[in-house]
Amino acid sequence: EWTIEIYGMGEEFDSLTNIINKLSLTDRVALKGEYNSLSDAYGEKSFYVSSSLYEGLPLTLLEAMEYKLPVVSYNYHCGPSEIVVDGINGILVNNKSIKSLAEAMKQLVVNTELRISMSKNTIITTQKFKKEAILKKWYKTLPEDKQEAYFKEVENWRPRGYPDLVLLVSYNGGFGCTQHTDILKKVGLE
C-alpha cells in the first residue's frame, strides 16, 4: 500500500490539511512540515516528486538522487533537464500538467522494474555533481595564486548536510550563499 509524504511549509499547508481530512486520506497522505535531516525526507522512500513550476537549479532533485530515488518533475525552462535524464533516472513531464505528473507517478508505482532501473541510474547525475567533479571545473576559473587557499577552505565546508555534493556558485558569488561568500573573503577573492 502506497503513501504520500509532503515535506515543507507554505501558504497551502492549512488548505492541504483540510483537503486531506475532507477526503479521508489521513492514512495515505501525510503533511510532514519541515525536516531535520535529509534522511528524514529521502531515506527509505521509493521515488521523489517535485511539483515546483520553476527554480534555478532544483537542489531537492539532487538530494533525492543522492538517496538513489528516481524523480518525477515538471520540465520547466531550466533546471530539471540538467539533472534528470528523462526515462533513465526519472521522468520529466510538461510544465503545469497535473495529469502528466499524476500519470508519471502512477507509472513508477506500478512498474517496479522501471523504478529499480531508474534508481540504479541516479548515479549518472550524482557523479556529475559530486564535489570532485565540480571542484575540477571550478579550479580552472580561479587565479592560480588563490587556488590552494580556496580549496583548503572548501574542504571544511559541507552545505546543508549534503553527503558529498557542492553547490554550483558563480565566481562573483552571484549564486553563492553566506558560507561561500565567507570562503571567498578568507582567500582574498571578494
mmCIF file of all heavy atoms in Angstrom, residues 62-97:
data_model
loop_
_atom_site.group_PDB
_atom_site.id
_atom_site.type_symbol
_atom_site.label_atom_id
_atom_site.label_comp_id
_atom_site.label_asym_id
_atom_site.label_seq_id
_atom_site.Cartn_x
_atom_site.Cartn_y
_atom_site.Cartn_z
ATOM 1 N N LEU A 62 18.643 16.812 -6.702
ATOM 2 C CA LEU A 62 19.977 16.260 -6.408
ATOM 3 C C LEU A 62 19.980 15.525 -5.072
ATOM 4 O O LEU A 62 20.574 14.456 -4.943
ATOM 5 C CB LEU A 62 21.027 17.366 -6.398
ATOM 6 C CG LEU A 62 21.347 18.002 -7.743
ATOM 7 C CD1 LEU A 62 22.253 19.208 -7.553
ATOM 8 C CD2 LEU A 62 21.970 16.991 -8.678
ATOM 9 N N GLU A 63 19.314 16.107 -4.090
ATOM 10 C CA GLU A 63 19.226 15.443 -2.789
ATOM 11 C C GLU A 63 18.557 14.074 -2.936
ATOM 12 O O GLU A 63 19.050 13.078 -2.406
ATOM 13 C CB GLU A 63 18.420 16.299 -1.812
ATOM 14 C CG GLU A 63 19.101 17.575 -1.394
ATOM 15 C CD GLU A 63 18.176 18.493 -0.606
ATOM 16 O OE1 GLU A 63 16.950 18.332 -0.638
ATOM 17 O OE2 GLU A 63 18.714 19.409 0.045
ATOM 18 N N ALA A 64 17.435 14.042 -3.648
ATOM 19 C CA ALA A 64 16.706 12.783 -3.835
ATOM 20 C C ALA A 64 17.575 11.747 -4.538
ATOM 21 O O ALA A 64 17.615 10.576 -4.148
ATOM 22 C CB ALA A 64 15.423 13.034 -4.625
ATOM 23 N N MET A 65 18.271 12.179 -5.580
ATOM 24 C CA MET A 65 19.111 11.237 -6.328
ATOM 25 C C MET A 65 20.302 10.755 -5.508
ATOM 26 O O MET A 65 20.778 9.635 -5.707
ATOM 27 C CB MET A 65 19.556 11.848 -7.645
ATOM 28 C CG MET A 65 18.434 11.917 -8.636
ATOM 29 S SD MET A 65 19.051 12.445 -10.232
ATOM 30 C CE MET A 65 17.556 12.312 -11.199
ATOM 31 N N GLU A 66 20.772 11.569 -4.590
ATOM 32 C CA GLU A 66 21.843 11.123 -3.704
ATOM 33 C C GLU A 66 21.364 9.943 -2.848
ATOM 34 O O GLU A 66 22.146 9.093 -2.458
ATOM 35 C CB GLU A 66 22.319 12.283 -2.820
ATOM 36 C CG GLU A 66 23.547 11.998 -2.018
ATOM 37 C CD GLU A 66 24.814 11.811 -2.842
ATOM 38 O OE1 GLU A 66 24.890 12.249 -3.999
ATOM 39 O OE2 GLU A 66 25.747 11.202 -2.302
ATOM 40 N N TYR A 67 20.051 9.878 -2.613
ATOM 41 C CA TYR A 67 19.449 8.755 -1.892
ATOM 42 C C TYR A 67 18.908 7.689 -2.852
ATOM 43 O O TYR A 67 18.101 6.856 -2.470
ATOM 44 C CB TYR A 67 18.345 9.260 -0.960
ATOM 45 C CG TYR A 67 18.904 9.843 0.304
ATOM 46 C CD1 TYR A 67 19.324 11.167 0.354
ATOM 47 C CD2 TYR A 67 19.051 9.067 1.441
ATOM 48 C CE1 TYR A 67 19.866 11.707 1.505
ATOM 49 C CE2 TYR A 67 19.588 9.592 2.602
ATOM 50 C CZ TYR A 67 19.997 10.920 2.621
ATOM 51 O OH TYR A 67 20.538 11.441 3.775
ATOM 52 N N LYS A 68 19.362 7.758 -4.099
ATOM 53 C CA LYS A 68 19.019 6.789 -5.143
ATOM 54 C C LYS A 68 17.528 6.754 -5.468
ATOM 55 O O LYS A 68 16.983 5.712 -5.833
ATOM 56 C CB LYS A 68 19.536 5.397 -4.788
ATOM 57 C CG LYS A 68 21.055 5.373 -4.632
ATOM 58 C CD LYS A 68 21.601 3.997 -4.583
ATOM 59 C CE LYS A 68 23.102 3.905 -4.416
ATOM 60 N NZ LYS A 68 23.921 5.030 -4.679
ATOM 61 N N LEU A 69 16.878 7.896 -5.339
ATOM 62 C CA LEU A 69 15.457 7.982 -5.671
ATOM 63 C C LEU A 69 15.269 8.500 -7.089
ATOM 64 O O LEU A 69 15.759 9.587 -7.421
ATOM 65 C CB LEU A 69 14.723 8.926 -4.709
ATOM 66 C CG LEU A 69 14.728 8.547 -3.239
ATOM 67 C CD1 LEU A 69 13.969 9.599 -2.441
ATOM 68 C CD2 LEU A 69 14.129 7.173 -3.020
ATOM 69 N N PRO A 70 14.553 7.758 -7.936
ATOM 70 C CA PRO A 70 14.177 8.335 -9.226
ATOM 71 C C PRO A 70 13.244 9.520 -8.958
ATOM 72 O O PRO A 70 12.576 9.557 -7.915
ATOM 73 C CB PRO A 70 13.438 7.203 -9.930
ATOM 74 C CG PRO A 70 13.209 6.134 -8.941
ATOM 75 C CD PRO A 70 14.025 6.430 -7.724
ATOM 76 N N VAL A 71 13.222 10.473 -9.860
ATOM 77 C CA VAL A 71 12.394 11.657 -9.629
ATOM 78 C C VAL A 71 11.388 11.850 -10.748
ATOM 79 O O VAL A 71 11.601 11.456 -11.885
ATOM 80 C CB VAL A 71 13.245 12.939 -9.464
ATOM 81 C CG1 VAL A 71 14.189 12.826 -8.298
ATOM 82 C CG2 VAL A 71 13.996 13.265 -10.723
ATOM 83 N N VAL A 72 10.286 12.480 -10.367
ATOM 84 C CA VAL A 72 9.278 12.952 -11.312
ATOM 85 C C VAL A 72 9.241 14.457 -11.121
ATOM 86 O O VAL A 72 9.160 14.948 -9.998
ATOM 87 C CB VAL A 72 7.889 12.343 -11.014
ATOM 88 C CG1 VAL A 72 6.834 12.954 -11.918
ATOM 89 C CG2 VAL A 72 7.924 10.829 -11.145
ATOM 90 N N SER A 73 9.340 15.194 -12.218
ATOM 91 C CA SER A 73 9.371 16.646 -12.112
ATOM 92 C C SER A 73 8.778 17.291 -13.352
ATOM 93 O O SER A 73 8.846 16.728 -14.442
ATOM 94 C CB SER A 73 10.825 17.125 -11.949
ATOM 95 O OG SER A 73 10.900 18.538 -11.934
ATOM 96 N N TYR A 74 8.228 18.475 -13.150
ATOM 97 C CA TYR A 74 7.873 19.294 -14.302
ATOM 98 C C TYR A 74 9.159 19.680 -15.016
ATOM 99 O O TYR A 74 10.189 19.900 -14.380
ATOM 100 C CB TYR A 74 7.140 20.568 -13.871
ATOM 101 C CG TYR A 74 5.723 20.339 -13.413
ATOM 102 C CD1 TYR A 74 5.287 20.821 -12.186
ATOM 103 C CD2 TYR A 74 4.809 19.670 -14.211
ATOM 104 C CE1 TYR A 74 3.984 20.635 -11.756
ATOM 105 C CE2 TYR A 74 3.499 19.473 -13.791
ATOM 106 C CZ TYR A 74 3.097 19.958 -12.563
ATOM 107 O OH TYR A 74 1.803 19.771 -12.157
ATOM 108 N N ASN A 75 9.101 19.779 -16.329
ATOM 109 C CA ASN A 75 10.267 20.164 -17.116
ATOM 110 C C ASN A 75 10.166 21.654 -17.450
ATOM 111 O O ASN A 75 9.942 22.028 -18.584
ATOM 112 C CB ASN A 75 10.359 19.326 -18.397
ATOM 113 C CG ASN A 75 11.677 19.513 -19.098
ATOM 114 O OD1 ASN A 75 12.625 20.030 -18.532
ATOM 115 N ND2 ASN A 75 11.734 19.106 -20.348
ATOM 116 N N TYR A 76 10.321 22.485 -16.435
ATOM 117 C CA TYR A 76 10.263 23.924 -16.672
ATOM 118 C C TYR A 76 11.559 24.398 -17.303
ATOM 119 O O TYR A 76 12.525 23.675 -17.410
ATOM 120 C CB TYR A 76 9.928 24.701 -15.408
ATOM 121 C CG TYR A 76 10.649 24.256 -14.156
ATOM 122 C CD1 TYR A 76 11.902 24.746 -13.845
ATOM 123 C CD2 TYR A 76 10.063 23.342 -13.294
ATOM 124 C CE1 TYR A 76 12.551 24.347 -12.706
ATOM 125 C CE2 TYR A 76 10.711 22.938 -12.140
ATOM 126 C CZ TYR A 76 11.951 23.451 -11.857
ATOM 127 O OH TYR A 76 12.607 23.052 -10.722
ATOM 128 N N HIS A 77 11.578 25.627 -17.716
ATOM 129 C CA HIS A 77 12.570 26.195 -18.632
ATOM 130 C C HIS A 77 14.043 25.931 -18.290
ATOM 131 O O HIS A 77 14.850 25.763 -19.166
ATOM 132 C CB HIS A 77 12.208 27.642 -18.847
ATOM 133 C CG HIS A 77 13.241 28.680 -18.590
ATOM 134 N ND1 HIS A 77 14.345 28.534 -17.828
ATOM 135 C CD2 HIS A 77 13.319 29.939 -19.036
ATOM 136 C CE1 HIS A 77 15.044 29.647 -17.803
ATOM 137 N NE2 HIS A 77 14.431 30.499 -18.525
ATOM 138 N N CYS A 78 14.429 25.843 -17.039
ATOM 139 C CA CYS A 78 15.821 25.480 -16.735
ATOM 140 C C CYS A 78 15.853 24.708 -15.429
ATOM 141 O O CYS A 78 15.002 24.884 -14.581
ATOM 142 C CB CYS A 78 16.717 26.710 -16.652
ATOM 143 S SG CYS A 78 16.378 27.776 -15.254
ATOM 144 N N GLY A 79 16.795 23.830 -15.310
ATOM 145 C CA GLY A 79 16.969 23.095 -14.063
ATOM 146 C C GLY A 79 16.751 21.609 -14.164
ATOM 147 O O GLY A 79 17.721 20.848 -14.202
ATOM 148 N N PRO A 80 15.499 21.139 -14.185
ATOM 149 C CA PRO A 80 15.277 19.692 -14.151
ATOM 150 C C PRO A 80 15.956 18.923 -15.277
ATOM 151 O O PRO A 80 16.512 17.853 -15.040
ATOM 152 C CB PRO A 80 13.753 19.563 -14.233
ATOM 153 C CG PRO A 80 13.251 20.810 -13.627
ATOM 154 C CD PRO A 80 14.236 21.862 -14.058
ATOM 155 N N SER A 81 15.957 19.466 -16.472
ATOM 156 C CA SER A 81 16.563 18.732 -17.586
ATOM 157 C C SER A 81 18.089 18.690 -17.485
ATOM 158 O O SER A 81 18.730 17.910 -18.183
ATOM 159 C CB SER A 81 16.133 19.320 -18.933
ATOM 160 O OG SER A 81 16.568 20.651 -19.058
ATOM 161 N N GLU A 82 18.678 19.514 -16.624
ATOM 162 C CA GLU A 82 20.111 19.444 -16.369
ATOM 163 C C GLU A 82 20.439 18.318 -15.390
ATOM 164 O O GLU A 82 21.587 17.895 -15.289
ATOM 165 C CB GLU A 82 20.619 20.770 -15.796
ATOM 166 C CG GLU A 82 20.486 21.934 -16.759
ATOM 167 C CD GLU A 82 20.886 23.245 -16.121
ATOM 168 O OE1 GLU A 82 21.963 23.272 -15.484
ATOM 169 O OE2 GLU A 82 20.131 24.217 -16.242
ATOM 170 N N ILE A 83 19.425 17.844 -14.684
ATOM 171 C CA ILE A 83 19.601 16.842 -13.644
ATOM 172 C C ILE A 83 18.984 15.502 -14.051
ATOM 173 O O ILE A 83 19.593 14.453 -13.884
ATOM 174 C CB ILE A 83 18.980 17.342 -12.316
ATOM 175 C CG1 ILE A 83 19.728 18.595 -11.842
ATOM 176 C CG2 ILE A 83 18.973 16.256 -11.261
ATOM 177 C CD1 ILE A 83 19.070 19.310 -10.694
ATOM 178 N N VAL A 84 17.779 15.541 -14.567
ATOM 179 C CA VAL A 84 17.040 14.322 -14.896
ATOM 180 C C VAL A 84 17.261 13.949 -16.357
ATOM 181 O O VAL A 84 17.063 14.764 -17.252
ATOM 182 C CB VAL A 84 15.528 14.512 -14.645
ATOM 183 C CG1 VAL A 84 14.755 13.253 -15.021
ATOM 184 C CG2 VAL A 84 15.266 14.898 -13.192
ATOM 185 N N VAL A 85 17.662 12.706 -16.581
ATOM 186 C CA VAL A 85 17.728 12.148 -17.931
ATOM 187 C C VAL A 85 16.407 11.402 -18.106
ATOM 188 O O VAL A 85 16.210 10.313 -17.557
ATOM 189 C CB VAL A 85 18.934 11.198 -18.111
ATOM 190 C CG1 VAL A 85 18.978 10.683 -19.543
ATOM 191 C CG2 VAL A 85 20.234 11.913 -17.744
ATOM 192 N N ASP A 86 15.480 12.028 -18.828
ATOM 193 C CA ASP A 86 14.107 11.538 -18.923
ATOM 194 C C ASP A 86 14.055 10.078 -19.360
ATOM 195 O O ASP A 86 14.636 9.695 -20.374
ATOM 196 C CB ASP A 86 13.318 12.411 -19.898
ATOM 197 C CG ASP A 86 11.832 12.108 -19.891
ATOM 198 O OD1 ASP A 86 11.308 11.746 -18.822
ATOM 199 O OD2 ASP A 86 11.194 12.234 -20.954
ATOM 200 N N GLY A 87 13.370 9.266 -18.563
ATOM 201 C CA GLY A 87 13.221 7.857 -18.870
ATOM 202 C C GLY A 87 14.375 7.004 -18.386
ATOM 203 O O GLY A 87 14.309 5.780 -18.439
ATOM 204 N N ILE A 88 15.437 7.631 -17.919
ATOM 205 C CA ILE A 88 16.634 6.893 -17.474
ATOM 206 C C ILE A 88 16.772 6.935 -15.947
ATOM 207 O O ILE A 88 16.906 5.910 -15.304
ATOM 208 C CB ILE A 88 17.914 7.453 -18.139
ATOM 209 C CG1 ILE A 88 17.799 7.434 -19.666
ATOM 210 C CG2 ILE A 88 19.145 6.691 -17.655
ATOM 211 C CD1 ILE A 88 17.650 6.068 -20.276
ATOM 212 N N ASN A 89 16.752 8.144 -15.373
ATOM 213 C CA ASN A 89 16.846 8.250 -13.920
ATOM 214 C C ASN A 89 15.676 9.027 -13.313
ATOM 215 O O ASN A 89 15.692 9.394 -12.156
ATOM 216 C CB ASN A 89 18.184 8.862 -13.481
ATOM 217 C CG ASN A 89 18.399 10.252 -14.016
ATOM 218 O OD1 ASN A 89 17.531 10.839 -14.656
ATOM 219 N ND2 ASN A 89 19.580 10.789 -13.757
ATOM 220 N N GLY A 90 14.686 9.273 -14.140
ATOM 221 C CA GLY A 90 13.489 9.970 -13.689
ATOM 222 C C GLY A 90 12.574 10.235 -14.869
ATOM 223 O O GLY A 90 12.839 9.799 -15.992
ATOM 224 N N ILE A 91 11.507 10.954 -14.582
ATOM 225 C CA ILE A 91 10.532 11.278 -15.617
ATOM 226 C C ILE A 91 10.266 12.776 -15.570
ATOM 227 O O ILE A 91 9.934 13.332 -14.517
ATOM 228 C CB ILE A 91 9.213 10.514 -15.405
ATOM 229 C CG1 ILE A 91 9.461 8.998 -15.409
ATOM 230 C CG2 ILE A 91 8.189 10.903 -16.473
ATOM 231 C CD1 ILE A 91 8.239 8.165 -15.031
ATOM 232 N N LEU A 92 10.421 13.426 -16.727
ATOM 233 C CA LEU A 92 10.090 14.841 -16.873
ATOM 234 C C LEU A 92 8.745 14.945 -17.586
ATOM 235 O O LEU A 92 8.518 14.251 -18.574
ATOM 236 C CB LEU A 92 11.159 15.568 -17.685
ATOM 237 C CG LEU A 92 12.536 15.639 -17.043
ATOM 238 C CD1 LEU A 92 13.557 16.214 -18.022
ATOM 239 C CD2 LEU A 92 12.494 16.465 -15.765
ATOM 240 N N VAL A 93 7.872 15.797 -17.077
ATOM 241 C CA VAL A 93 6.552 15.968 -17.691
ATOM 242 C C VAL A 93 6.336 17.434 -18.051
ATOM 243 O O VAL A 93 7.026 18.326 -17.554
ATOM 244 C CB VAL A 93 5.422 15.466 -16.765
ATOM 245 C CG1 VAL A 93 5.592 13.992 -16.449
ATOM 246 C CG2 VAL A 93 5.338 16.273 -15.485
ATOM 247 N N ASN A 94 5.360 17.670 -18.919
ATOM 248 C CA ASN A 94 5.045 19.041 -19.340
ATOM 249 C C ASN A 94 4.716 19.910 -18.142
ATOM 250 O O ASN A 94 3.963 19.503 -17.247
ATOM 251 C CB ASN A 94 3.867 19.049 -20.319
ATOM 252 C CG ASN A 94 4.219 18.406 -21.635
ATOM 253 O OD1 ASN A 94 5.375 18.410 -22.052
ATOM 254 N ND2 ASN A 94 3.221 17.843 -22.295
ATOM 255 N N ASN A 95 5.276 21.110 -18.162
ATOM 256 C CA ASN A 95 5.072 22.041 -17.069
ATOM 257 C C ASN A 95 3.586 22.355 -16.887
ATOM 258 O O ASN A 95 2.861 22.542 -17.855
ATOM 259 C CB ASN A 95 5.857 23.337 -17.347
ATOM 260 C CG ASN A 95 6.209 24.071 -16.080
ATOM 261 O OD1 ASN A 95 6.186 23.511 -14.994
ATOM 262 N ND2 ASN A 95 6.541 25.337 -16.207
ATOM 263 N N LYS A 96 3.158 22.368 -15.652
ATOM 264 C CA LYS A 96 1.794 22.682 -15.234
ATOM 265 C C LYS A 96 0.766 21.622 -15.603
ATOM 266 O O LYS A 96 -0.420 21.827 -15.418
ATOM 267 C CB LYS A 96 1.351 24.052 -15.773
ATOM 268 C CG LYS A 96 2.200 25.201 -15.287
ATOM 269 C CD LYS A 96 1.683 26.518 -15.817
ATOM 270 C CE LYS A 96 2.573 27.654 -15.379
ATOM 271 N NZ LYS A 96 2.121 28.937 -15.879
ATOM 272 N N SER A 97 1.193 20.466 -16.109
ATOM 273 C CA SER A 97 0.248 19.396 -16.443
ATOM 274 C C SER A 97 0.120 18.455 -15.251
ATOM 275 O O SER A 97 0.905 17.509 -15.096
ATOM 276 C CB SER A 97 0.696 18.625 -17.682
ATOM 277 O OG SER A 97 -0.160 17.516 -17.895
#
